[in-house]
Amino acid sequence: MASSQEEVTLLGVVGSPFLHRVQIALKLKGIEYKYLEDDLNNKSDLLLKYNPVHKMIPVLVHNEKPISESLVIVEYIDDTWKQNPILPSDPYQRALARFWAQFMDDKCVVAAAKFVLKVDEKEKEKATEELYEALKFLENELKDKFFAGEEIIGFVDIAAVFIPLLQEVAQIQLFTSEKFPKLFKWSKDFYNHPVVKEIMPSKDQLFVYFKARAQSLAAKKKN
Amino acid sequence: RMANEVVLLETWASMYGIRVRIALAEKGVKYECKEENLRNKSSLLLQMNPIHKKIPVLIHNGKPICDSAIIVQYIDEVWSHKAPLMPSDPYERAQARFWVDYIDKKVYDTSRKMWLSTGEEHETWRKELISVFKQLEETLGDKPFYGGDTFGFVDVGLISFYSWFYSFEIYGNFKMEAECPKLVAWVKRCMQRETVSKNLPDEKEIYDHAEASKKALELK
């Protein structure tokens, strides 16, 4: 029995949208794993060993082999465990899914982080504008219940988990239902999806994470 | 029924466009190349990539695909009969995606910061650029290609920068051969492939282009 047992370990910090992406993917596939909480301001030896290049969470370790970068990890999970596919099977739809997931990282997450972590006023103003522009694209892109245009969650929804994290858990209003009706509904639907709801941190846990992030960013600026 | 229509929007000096050209060449795909003027973007580009308005854009039977890493994976999946670029093992695939992501995060930005700074700042970025290449050399190890025995996704992702090495060396005052000899050996191996050598622009023309861009930025 021991030889067929897959060893899956996940290093993360609760509250990190990047960690939660991976957790949603694992939960969708029904994969059991060992979770190890790390500390952004005092990184573990294990983290430095498994992700020497970026020294960042999340890191998935599967049978002693580490994978880093949340979207890379989610694709790995989809490649390895075939049940409940996360990415579409058609190459063009896959390219679109990858494009929008990358869009989240390139255009939204950084702006959202600046918006939330209370950097100086000018930066926050610029971040608000950037985020608003990005959200408008997402509002146009959203079809039905979820981004894939289906009843089941997919790669782009998973990549966008930072939205309900901020909107529903932290209750930081990124958008109103008047200006962004589709995103507003999507955020609630996604947050209430049974797989997602189980994984979401509490409001307190999320604020602890924001505080730690703000601290480590301030420390970086000093250096 | 529409024939297989492949159009590539790009600019001659873009290393990201070069990735797509190499991938299409590896697969033996015939395509039409449209050179864009980034200071006067075509209506086609704006229509096909309204979000980022950037090249390269691959248009396959009228449908656009954007972002060079995504385009190369698309090409690999559609024209899967020949020259596989992605490994077949999921773990190796994850590593390949990780390293192309690393190249995308590090090489251009670091080189640009080095290029546009002076004094102590320039020295910092110069050291950083060299360490990025040393990391990439370490990742290659003793393999002939990043893909192992065969030319693959990461090879395409990095060799596309080769025409810029000459400019990096001048602006950074270092020699790639001295800092990363194994990487230079890898470059030579890649250059033996016609798909690569025919699709890389001349390094001196790239340098002239970089100098012109630098002057234009300084005049602002």
Side-chain angles (χ1 to χ4, degrees):
Chain A
M1 217 35 208
S3 57
S4 67
Q5 200 163 46
E6 307 250 30
E7 244 191 61
V8 183
T9 304
L10 180 61
L11 278 74
V13 171
V14 171
S16 158
F18 306 104
L19 166 71
H20 298 316
R21 286 173 173 174
V22 177
Q23 288 178 312
I24 292 171
L26 287 167
K27 193 131 204 104
L28 271 175
K29 302 282 187 176
I31 305 301
E32 281 184 22
Y33 61 96
K34 185 167 107 184
Y35 174 71
L36 294 174
E37 174 82 2
D38 218 288
D39 181 349
L40 288 180
N41 294 313
N42 186 18
K43 294 174 182 180
S44 71
D45 289 338
L46 208 61
L47 174 58
L48 299 177
K49 169 184 161 190
Y50 284 133
N51 190 359
V53 175
H54 298 305
K55 305 177 178 62
M56 282 302 285
I57 57 94
V59 180
L60 186 79
V61 187
H62 184 202
N63 295 332
E64 281 298 296
K65 295 196 286 192
I67 304 113
S68 311
E69 290 304 300
S70 62
L71 295 180
V72 173
I73 299 172
V74 174
E75 283 221 47
Y76 172 79
I77 291 168
D78 204 39
D79 266 350
T80 304
W81 293 284
K82 298 298 185 188
Q83 64 275 27
N84 298 334
I86 292 169
L87 275 126
S89 50
D90 170 68
Y92 186 69
Q93 294 303 319
R94 287 163 78 80
L96 282 182
R98 286 176 179 139
F99 175 84
W100 285 106
Q102 194 63 48
F103 178 84
M104 300 297 169
D105 277 353
D106 292 343
K107 296 287 179 186
C108 307
V109 173
V110 175
K114 283 187 187 158
F115 182 79
V116 165
L117 295 175
K118 291 176 170 47
V119 290
D120 66 72
E121 273 315 304
K122 213 170 175 200
E123 260 199 87
K124 185 168 174 172
E125 217 183 281
K126 192 174 167 229
T128 310
E129 256 182 70
E130 275 176 36
L131 188 60
Y132 190 76
E133 286 305 310
L135 292 174
K136 277 201 282 185
F137 281 123
L138 291 181
E139 178 73 17
N140 284 335
E141 182 58 22
L142 200 49
K143 295 162 190 66
D144 298 306
K145 189 164 182 153
F146 297 114
F147 278 101
E150 297 167 29
E151 282 289 308
I152 52 168
I153 62 181
F155 194 54
V156 183
D157 304 287
I158 291 173
V161 71
F162 67 95
I163 293 176
L165 206 61
L166 295 175
Q167 187 86 352
E168 315 298 328
V169 179
Q171 290 170 344
I172 293 168
Q173 201 177 49
L174 295 176
F175 42 77
T176 61
S177 62
E178 290 83 35
K179 291 215 168 128
F180 295 90
K182 289 197 275 176
L183 262 181
F184 191 84
K185 182 175 182 298
W186 170 84
S187 182
K188 286 215 184 299
D189 286 342
F190 191 52
Y191 174 69
N192 284 309
H193 189 285
V195 161
V196 177
K197 201 147 195 184
E198 260 192 75
I199 278 154
M200 291 276 98
S202 70
K203 193 171 180 175
D204 287 338
Q205 285 176 313
L206 194 54
F207 282 112
V208 167
Y209 171 74
F210 288 159
K211 200 172 169 197
R213 282 299 282 148
Q215 270 181 301
S216 71
L217 279 171
K220 261 191 203 167
K221 277 192 173 168
K222 268 191 190 162
N223 301 333
Chain B
R1 216 212 107 134
M2 210 199 257
N4 225 353
E5 211 187 69
V6 183
V7 178
L8 175 62
L9 306 182
E10 51 123 47
T11 60
W12 73 273
S14 163
M15 56 285 271
Y16 303 107
I18 288 161
R19 284 174 173 176
V20 180
R21 284 154 53 121
I22 293 173
L24 288 167
E26 286 283 317
K27 302 289 185 175
V29 175
K30 289 198 170 28
Y31 64 98
E32 186 192 339
C33 209
K34 289 196 169 156
E35 178 84 11
E36 283 286 327
N37 176 358
L38 296 180
R39 265 169 271 126
N40 187 19
K41 294 174 182 179
S42 72
S43 54
L44 183 64
L45 173 57
L46 297 176
Q47 182 200 344
M48 290 291 156
N49 189 357
I51 315 277
H52 301 300
K53 306 177 176 65
K54 283 182 174 176
I55 55 92
V57 179
L58 189 77
I59 310 171
H60 186 202
N61 293 334
K63 296 196 287 191
I65 303 104
C66 308
D67 187 283
S68 65
I70 293 174
I71 297 171
V72 173
Q73 287 182 84
Y74 174 81
I75 290 168
D76 199 42
E77 287 169 22
V78 170
W79 289 280
S80 54
H81 62 294
K82 183 181 176 188
L85 295 172
M86 287 293 276
S88 47
D89 171 68
Y91 182 72
E92 294 306 320
R93 290 156 77 81
Q95 293 312 299
R97 289 185 177 118
F98 175 88
W99 287 109
V100 170
D101 177 69
Y102 176 84
I103 292 164
D104 284 350
K105 281 183 163 97
K106 295 282 192 179
V107 182
Y108 180 76
D109 270 2
T110 310
S111 65
R112 192 180 161 83
K113 282 173 179 151
M114 174 188 80
W115 185 57
L116 294 174
S117 60
T118 54
E120 224 177 277
E121 224 197 297
H122 171 86
E123 185 57 29
T124 304
W125 293 119
R126 178 190 166 273
K127 284 201 177 111
E128 177 69 16
L129 185 66
I130 293 172
S131 77
V132 166
F133 282 115
K134 281 192 194 286
Q135 170 68 75
L136 289 165
E137 186 182 58
E138 190 187 304
T139 302
L140 177 66
D142 291 316
K143 303 192 296 295
F145 298 106
Y146 285 93
D149 287 327
T150 52
F151 185 77
F153 187 55
V154 183
D155 301 283
V156 174
L158 185 57
I159 199 64
S160 59
F161 282 82
Y162 175 52
S163 302
W164 286 89
F165 283 13
Y166 175 73
S167 301
F168 294 162
E169 286 175 324
I170 294 178
Y171 290 125
N173 191 28
F174 69 93
K175 284 282 175 228
M176 202 64 92
E177 177 89 57
E179 300 290 343
C180 302
K182 280 185 170 173
L183 204 62
V184 172
W186 165 81
V187 167
K188 292 194 171 106
R189 245 171 265 131
C190 292
M191 287 299 275
Q192 282 168 4
R193 303 174 82 78
E194 228 179 52
T195 56
V196 172
S197 59
K198 284 200 163 165
N199 285 304
L200 286 179
D202 177 70
E203 62 188 12
K204 302 228 164 56
E205 284 183 34
I206 289 287
Y207 176 69
D208 290 341
H209 169 80
E211 278 285 272
S213 307
K214 192 164 194 248
K215 287 201 169 66
L217 282 164
E218 283 161 2
L219 285 169
K220 276 190 185 161

